[in-house]
Amino acid sequence: MSQQQLARRMGIVDRPLPRGKTEVSLSAFAFLFSEMVQYYQQRVNTTQELERKLAGAGYGVGVRMLELVVFREKGSKRETRVIGMLSFIKDNMWKTMFGKPADSLERVTDKEDEYMINEKEPLVNTFISVPKDLGHLNCAAFVAGVVHGILDSADFPSRVTAHTVPVGGETRTTILIKFDAEVMEREKRMG
């Protein structure tokens, strides 16, 4: 049987997942994201509610992004360790979503269950101008939701939040990840 005949007989389920176009126009992303922020802004009363809505929207994206990246990468293995999973998010997932790895991954010095992913200029904050009535809105709450969705899907229950942190004369965004006790117990058992 020739290659063409075999390809015709294969069902859609048997075909490999196409890579498709891996980049989205920056202007299209900026427009859609700003529209999403405006949509939620009209339906909430406080900055915290808006950040919760953005995180909720990001959660669904994170769940689907993990599935997509794992299916597309050849020979990828399931991460079972905390550091391995966080490195996968910082490098692979960040590069898939934003075109570059995150700036850094750090563990909070006095707490074993808290980690930080730092980004100097998150793409989601680039094209958003915050009105004065919203104070310290951080649209990176969407990215925190994405990270939360990825971790939950990979069976790493946690609480994920976004914070703006002043460093010298600049600010950076920190995605703070606090793992549940069961994750840390599992990590200790694995040695």
Side-chain angles (χ1 to χ4, degrees):
M1 209 181 278
S2 74
Q3 193 73 303
Q4 288 178 335
Q5 290 172 334
L6 186 62
R8 276 189 231 129
R9 286 189 177 183
M10 285 176 48
I12 192 161
V13 175
D14 299 324
R15 295 184 191 144
L17 200 62
R19 264 195 99 64
K21 191 172 182 181
T22 58
E23 291 183 13
V24 173
S25 162
L26 185 59
S27 59
F29 171 78
F31 174 73
L32 289 173
F33 188 73
S34 69
E35 287 296 315
M36 183 176 69
V37 171
Q38 288 176 30
Y39 174 81
Y40 286 132
Q41 183 182 353
Q42 294 169 356
R43 287 158 176 75
V44 298
N45 297 321
T46 66
T47 303
Q48 290 78 19
E49 286 179 46
L50 180 54
E51 288 179 349
R52 259 194 309 278
K53 292 278 190 185
L54 290 172
Y59 184 89
V61 172
V63 169
R64 288 163 185 81
M65 282 299 297
L66 179 64
E67 289 177 20
L68 181 68
V69 169
V70 168
F71 282 129
R72 281 187 177 169
E73 285 190 10
K74 299 253 189 243
S76 66
K77 63 181 179 85
R78 182 178 185 274
E79 293 292 344
T80 57
R81 305 297 300 260
V82 169
I83 295 295
M85 188 63 198
L86 291 173
S87 295
F88 175 76
I89 291 171
K90 176 196 166 286
D91 296 326
N92 299 30
M93 296 300 292
W94 225 265
K95 189 168 183 166
T96 300
M97 292 185 296
F98 304 116
K100 67 177 190 71
D103 293 337
S104 67
L105 169 64
E106 302 170 24
R107 187 175 73 110
V108 175
T109 52
D110 57 338
K111 297 181 181 173
E112 285 185 13
D113 61 345
E114 289 186 12
Y115 291 83
M116 301 179 290
I117 297 176
N118 297 305
E119 185 71 26
K120 188 175 179 183
E121 293 179 27
L123 185 63
V124 294
N125 287 349
T126 305
F127 302 104
I128 302 294
S129 54
V130 180
K132 290 180 182 172
D133 64 325
L134 287 179
H136 301 322
L137 171 67
N138 189 349
C139 290
F142 177 79
V143 179
V146 171
V147 172
H148 188 203
I150 292 168
L151 289 171
D152 269 6
S153 293
D155 197 25
F156 287 88
S158 57
R159 202 184 81 191
V160 184
T161 53
H163 305 276
T164 303
V165 180
V167 177
E170 302 175 338
T171 60
R172 72 176 180 191
T173 297
T174 297
I175 306 297
L176 182 64
I177 303 156
K178 181 173 178 53
F179 288 102
D180 288 357
E182 67 183 75
V183 174
M184 300 317 291
E185 289 170 13
R186 181 177 67 203
E187 188 76 10
K188 286 178 184 171
R189 281 195 312 266
M190 294 173 83

Short mmCIF file of all heavy atoms in Angstrom, two decimals, residues 16-17 19 69-77:
data_model
loop_
_atom_site.label_atom_id
_atom_site.label_comp_id
_atom_site.label_asym_id
_atom_site.label_seq_id
_atom_site.Cartn_x
_atom_site.Cartn_y
_atom_site.Cartn_z
N PRO A 16 -1.55 13.02 13.22
CA PRO A 16 -0.89 13.82 14.26
C PRO A 16 -1.51 15.21 14.36
O PRO A 16 -2.07 15.73 13.40
CB PRO A 16 0.57 13.91 13.78
CG PRO A 16 0.53 13.59 12.33
CD PRO A 16 -0.68 12.72 12.10
N LEU A 17 -1.42 15.80 15.56
CA LEU A 17 -1.95 17.13 15.80
C LEU A 17 -1.10 18.14 15.04
O LEU A 17 0.11 18.20 15.23
CB LEU A 17 -1.91 17.43 17.29
CG LEU A 17 -2.80 18.52 17.82
CD1 LEU A 17 -4.27 18.14 17.57
CD2 LEU A 17 -2.58 18.72 19.29
N ARG A 19 0.86 21.43 13.91
CA ARG A 19 1.49 22.51 14.67
C ARG A 19 0.79 23.83 14.42
O ARG A 19 0.69 24.65 15.31
CB ARG A 19 2.96 22.63 14.32
CG ARG A 19 3.76 21.87 15.34
CD ARG A 19 5.18 22.16 15.36
NE ARG A 19 5.75 23.06 16.29
CZ ARG A 19 5.80 22.93 17.59
NH1 ARG A 19 5.18 21.95 18.18
NH2 ARG A 19 6.44 23.79 18.34
N VAL A 69 0.45 21.98 24.65
CA VAL A 69 1.91 21.90 24.63
C VAL A 69 2.38 20.47 24.82
O VAL A 69 3.29 20.01 24.14
CB VAL A 69 2.53 22.85 25.68
CG1 VAL A 69 4.01 22.60 25.86
CG2 VAL A 69 2.29 24.30 25.27
N VAL A 70 1.74 19.73 25.71
CA VAL A 70 2.14 18.34 25.94
C VAL A 70 1.88 17.49 24.69
O VAL A 70 2.70 16.65 24.33
CB VAL A 70 1.42 17.76 27.18
CG1 VAL A 70 1.59 16.26 27.27
CG2 VAL A 70 1.95 18.42 28.44
N PHE A 71 0.75 17.72 24.02
CA PHE A 71 0.46 16.96 22.81
C PHE A 71 1.40 17.31 21.67
O PHE A 71 1.77 16.45 20.87
CB PHE A 71 -0.99 17.18 22.34
CG PHE A 71 -2.00 16.39 23.12
CD1 PHE A 71 -3.10 17.01 23.66
CD2 PHE A 71 -1.85 15.04 23.33
CE1 PHE A 71 -4.04 16.30 24.39
CE2 PHE A 71 -2.77 14.30 24.06
CZ PHE A 71 -3.87 14.94 24.59
N ARG A 72 1.81 18.54 21.58
CA ARG A 72 2.67 18.97 20.48
C ARG A 72 4.12 18.58 20.66
O ARG A 72 4.82 18.35 19.68
CB ARG A 72 2.58 20.49 20.30
CG ARG A 72 1.35 20.91 19.58
CD ARG A 72 1.40 22.38 19.29
NE ARG A 72 0.23 22.79 18.53
CZ ARG A 72 -0.09 24.03 18.30
NH1 ARG A 72 0.66 25.00 18.78
NH2 ARG A 72 -1.15 24.34 17.60
N GLU A 73 4.61 18.54 21.88
CA GLU A 73 6.01 18.24 22.11
C GLU A 73 6.25 16.75 22.03
O GLU A 73 5.63 15.97 22.74
CB GLU A 73 6.47 18.77 23.47
CG GLU A 73 6.66 20.25 23.47
CD GLU A 73 7.34 20.74 24.74
OE1 GLU A 73 7.83 19.90 25.52
OE2 GLU A 73 7.37 21.95 24.93
N LYS A 74 7.19 16.39 21.20
CA LYS A 74 7.55 14.97 21.05
C LYS A 74 8.36 14.53 22.26
O LYS A 74 9.24 15.23 22.73
CB LYS A 74 8.39 14.78 19.80
CG LYS A 74 7.67 15.18 18.53
CD LYS A 74 7.28 13.97 17.77
CE LYS A 74 6.76 14.38 16.41
NZ LYS A 74 5.41 14.05 16.22
N GLY A 75 8.03 13.38 22.79
CA GLY A 75 8.80 12.80 23.87
C GLY A 75 8.72 13.56 25.19
O GLY A 75 9.59 13.40 26.03
N SER A 76 7.67 14.36 25.36
CA SER A 76 7.56 15.07 26.64
C SER A 76 7.10 14.10 27.72
O SER A 76 6.33 13.18 27.46
CB SER A 76 6.60 16.25 26.53
OG SER A 76 5.29 15.80 26.29
N LYS A 77 7.62 14.29 28.90
CA LYS A 77 7.23 13.42 30.01
C LYS A 77 6.47 14.24 31.04
O LYS A 77 6.61 15.45 31.13
CB LYS A 77 8.45 12.77 30.65
CG LYS A 77 9.42 13.74 31.27
CD LYS A 77 10.62 13.00 31.85
CE LYS A 77 11.59 13.98 32.46
NZ LYS A 77 11.30 14.33 33.82
#
